[in-house]
Amino acid sequence: MISEKLLKELNKQINYEFYSEYLYLAMSAYCESLDLEGFSNFFKVQAEEERFHAMKLFDYINEMDGRVKLFAIDEPKTSYNSLLDVFEKALDHEKFVTKRIYTLADIANEEKEHATISFLKWYIDEQVEEESSFNKLVKRLKMIKDDSHGTYMLDSELSQRTFIPPTE
Ligand code: FEO
């Protein structure tokens, strides 16, 4: 049985993951407003990944005989200055999520809650991938700058992304 303190933080994390889903849908809509369907697709797939992250926590809490609590989801930012602005904000958001996961891991470690320590390892590894993916795209957008050909090429590449449920 997980402690009340840890349960509260795990439930808060469900909310952060659903907020991430919302945020990336807002970013997808922004890209769509620029007629960049590949970028829009990239964020739609990212939103699906976030839902997967939320549901994995949802299922874990239930498995541990805890009580899932769903909180109101904050309204995400919907206007951005540029594609680079979108990706820089996405990267900042992922860094924030990484800190949140570390906070959860710290509590689980303090409490010697080994099942949750093991469970959270998946999220720690996933965050490395998430930050790396956004970091690379920020760098590529900085290289592309205002070059419309480069933007089009990247848009075309990102249109290929599909949602593949992450491996356990
Ligand atoms: Fe669920 Fe992108 O972290």
Side-chain angles (χ1 to χ4, degrees):
M1 185 77 185
I2 39 188
S3 72
E4 278 304 312
K5 181 181 175 184
L6 188 52
L7 180 61
K8 189 175 159 199
E9 292 303 321
L10 288 167
N11 271 317
K12 265 164 69 178
Q13 192 61 30
I14 292 181
N15 185 267
Y16 282 120
E17 300 293 347
F18 278 126
Y19 172 77
S20 302
E21 180 186 20
Y22 245 40
L23 178 66
Y24 292 137
L25 280 177
M27 289 177 171
S28 173
Y30 172 78
C31 295
E32 196 76 45
S33 77
L34 301 177
D35 291 327
L36 292 167
E37 289 180 10
F39 283 93
S40 172
N41 174 64
F42 172 87
F43 279 113
K44 268 190 213 155
V45 173
Q46 190 61 39
E48 286 188 80
E49 286 214 356
E50 299 304 341
R51 183 177 177 78
F52 182 93
H53 298 169
M55 292 311 297
K56 193 173 168 74
L57 282 152
F58 182 99
D59 291 341
Y60 178 70
I61 291 173
N62 284 327
E63 210 177 342
M64 294 296 279
D65 203 24
R67 182 79 168 89
V68 167
K69 279 194 185 162
L70 298 175
F71 306 110
I73 301 168
D74 287 343
E75 185 177 330
K77 181 176 164 59
T78 51
S79 59
Y80 299 92
N81 299 324
S82 63
L83 272 181
L84 178 60
D85 184 37
V86 171
F87 279 86
E88 283 179 333
K89 290 209 166 51
L91 177 58
D92 286 347
H93 180 68
E94 287 303 331
K95 287 179 179 171
F96 166 76
V97 174
T98 300
K99 280 192 189 144
R100 273 288 313 164
I101 299 293
Y102 286 6
T103 299
L104 284 169
D106 286 346
I107 297 170
N109 275 306
E110 277 162 22
E111 297 185 358
K112 298 188 171 39
E113 221 307 297
H114 291 281
T116 305
I117 292 168
S118 171
F119 171 75
L120 289 171
K121 174 140 188 348
W122 184 89
Y123 285 84
I124 291 168
D125 295 343
E126 180 74 2
Q127 281 311 117
V128 173
E129 278 181 37
E130 301 259 289
E131 282 194 33
S132 166
S133 145
F134 279 110
N135 201 17
K136 280 180 191 153
L137 286 163
V138 164
K139 283 185 184 162
R140 286 182 70 182
L141 284 167
K142 281 183 178 166
M143 273 192 284
I144 289 169
K145 288 191 180 144
D146 295 327
D147 175 43
S148 56
H149 181 67
T151 306
Y152 174 77
M153 295 286 286
L154 187 52
D155 188 63
S156 172
E157 184 183 322
L158 297 181
S159 71
Q160 304 301 312
R161 187 181 187 197
T162 54
F163 176 63
I164 301 162
T167 49
E168 297 296 320

